[in-house]
Amino acid sequence: MNNNCNSSNENASLKLAIIGAFIATIGDAISTYAAVLALDESVASDQEQAVQMQAIQQQIDELKNAQFAPMKNHQDQQMLQMQQEIEQLKMAISQKNPYDNK
């Protein structure tokens, strides 16, 4: 009977060891899956940040161009006015009689 009791205890111990190993394996699989998900999230987040940074840089460039565009337009207008004044002066000089001053 004693031998039967020892054999029964060994069988129960083996069953518990197998169940424990199975549960540990499932735990390892779950932790591995969680690590893969975290890595995928990290990669997606990095890609999203890169896209956002590119969009921000584009907005900065557009703002810079918009800031200097009025200045350029103003300079163009001034240049056009100066050219018109020069043409008017040329016409006034060419119409003036060169003998009037003498």
Side-chain angles (χ1 to χ4, degrees), residues 37-97:
L37 287 178
L39 185 61
D40 287 345
E41 276 184 32
S42 177
V43 168
S45 175
D46 289 347
Q47 288 175 344
E48 185 178 326
Q49 275 185 331
V51 168
Q52 287 176 347
M53 290 298 290
Q54 188 176 12
I56 289 171
Q57 184 62 48
Q58 184 177 1
Q59 288 176 346
I60 289 171
D61 293 342
E62 287 174 2
L63 287 173
K64 282 182 182 177
N65 291 337
Q67 179 182 7
F68 293 116
M71 191 180 301
K72 185 177 181 207
N73 289 338
H74 182 68
Q75 289 172 344
D76 289 345
Q77 288 174 348
Q78 284 181 333
M79 189 69 113
L80 183 60
Q81 286 176 347
M82 292 172 109
Q83 286 174 344
Q84 289 173 348
E85 288 176 12
I86 290 171
E87 290 301 318
Q88 289 173 355
L89 288 172
K90 284 181 181 178
M91 288 174 61
I93 291 172
S94 67
Q95 290 175 356
K96 187 175 181 183
N97 191 341

Side-chain angles (χ1 to χ4, degrees), residues 14-38:
L14 280 173
K15 287 179 183 179
L16 285 175
I18 290 171
I19 291 171
F22 180 72
I23 291 173
T25 302
I26 290 175
D28 289 343
I30 291 172
S31 68
T32 301
Y33 181 69
V36 168
L37 287 178

